[in-house]
């Protein structure tokens, strides 16, 4: 981990208190960093997404981040990564979500240039189901890409993640 990641790791761990024990960084993007953690109360692995600290003071970022957490939390579907809680502490914004043991579709494609037709069909069907559920809820993901598709190693399911630029769509008659 870089010094910046170590600092964020330490500050986030202090903000979360004893309920979550951070373990390591899982990934990062333009808006934040995702860490693997253990929910010590429920004794299970979770992932915690935290906004980059330099972005957190901006009110528009705070609104967008909390809107993302609320959006995903209401999309309860087996092919969408579930959000368990969200909050802010010590100037950090974060949310806690399912940890999906496995890899992203990007990682799989980097390792294997081609997918078996059955596997590609299963992933496509899972994503179609997730996107249909999101659409029914008035949500457009707008960033479906291999990095945002997680492949659960235990079940083989594909799960859609990172609704960071999702937006609620006004449902209008005739529109």
């Amino acid at each position: 981990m870089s010094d910046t990641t170590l600092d964020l790791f330490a500050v986030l761990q202090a903000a979360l208190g004893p309920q979550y024990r951070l373990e390591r960084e899982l990934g990062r993007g333009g808006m934040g960093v995702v860490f693997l953690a253990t929910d010590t109360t429920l004794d299970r692995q979770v992932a915690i997404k935290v906004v980059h600290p330099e972005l957190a003071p901006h009110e528009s970022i705070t609104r967008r981040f909390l809107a993302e957490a609320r959006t995903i939390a209401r999309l309860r579907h087996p092919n969408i990564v579930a959000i368990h809680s969200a909050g802010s502490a010590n100037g950090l914004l974060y949310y806690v979500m399912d940890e999906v043991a496995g890899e992203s579709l990007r990682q799989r494609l980097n390792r294997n240039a081609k997918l078996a037709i059955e596997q590609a069909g299963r992933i496509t069907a899972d994503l179609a189901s997730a996107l249909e559920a999101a659409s029914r809820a008035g949500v457009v993901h707008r960033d479906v890409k291999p990095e945002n598709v997680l492949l659960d190693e235990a079940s083989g399911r594909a799960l859609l993640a990172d609704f960071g630029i999702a937006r609620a769509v006004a449902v209008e008659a005739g529109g």
Side-chain angles (χ1 to χ4, degrees):
M1 281 192 264
S2 68
D3 287 343
T4 304
T5 302
L6 287 172
D7 291 345
L8 180 56
F9 187 97
V11 171
L12 180 60
Q13 182 62 75
L16 293 171
Q19 182 171 357
Y20 299 103
R21 184 178 61 251
L22 294 180
E23 296 180 23
R24 63 181 166 84
E25 182 179 321
L26 290 174
R28 60 181 50 235
M31 195 169 178
V33 180
V34 178
F35 292 98
L36 176 65
T38 298
D39 178 332
T40 59
T41 303
L42 299 176
D43 192 27
R44 68 176 175 181
Q45 298 259 269
V46 296
I48 300 177
K49 181 174 182 178
V50 60
V51 169
H52 292 301
E54 61 273 12
L55 298 176
H58 301 282
E59 188 177 323
S60 64
I61 297 292
T62 300
R63 278 194 315 270
R64 180 176 165 188
F65 187 79
L66 292 175
E68 175 185 355
R70 288 181 187 120
T71 296
I72 301 169
R74 77 171 193 262
L75 296 177
R76 300 182 56 79
H77 188 274
N79 298 108
I80 297 175
V81 176
I83 296 290
H84 301 290
S85 66
S88 62
N90 297 349
L92 297 176
L93 296 167
Y94 65 91
Y95 64 74
V96 180
M97 60 188 153
D98 283 343
E99 188 272 332
V100 178
E103 62 187 345
S104 72
L105 180 55
R106 169 61 60 217
Q107 291 166 318
R108 173 87 43 94
L109 290 170
N110 286 345
R111 196 178 68 251
N112 305 324
K114 291 184 178 182
L115 297 175
I117 192 74
E118 299 82 19
Q119 186 179 43
R122 198 167 45 251
I123 291 169
T124 301
D126 286 351
L127 293 178
S129 182
L131 291 168
E132 195 267 335
S135 177
R136 277 195 325 267
V139 175
V140 177
H141 187 287
R142 296 179 8 156
D143 197 25
V144 178
K145 59 186 180 184
E147 292 80 0
N148 291 338
V149 176
L150 304 179
L151 305 174
D152 185 305
E153 68 185 2
S155 68
R157 283 183 304 141
L159 289 89
L160 190 54
D162 200 352
F163 280 68
I165 62 170
R167 64 180 174 85
V169 177
V171 179
E172 296 178 2

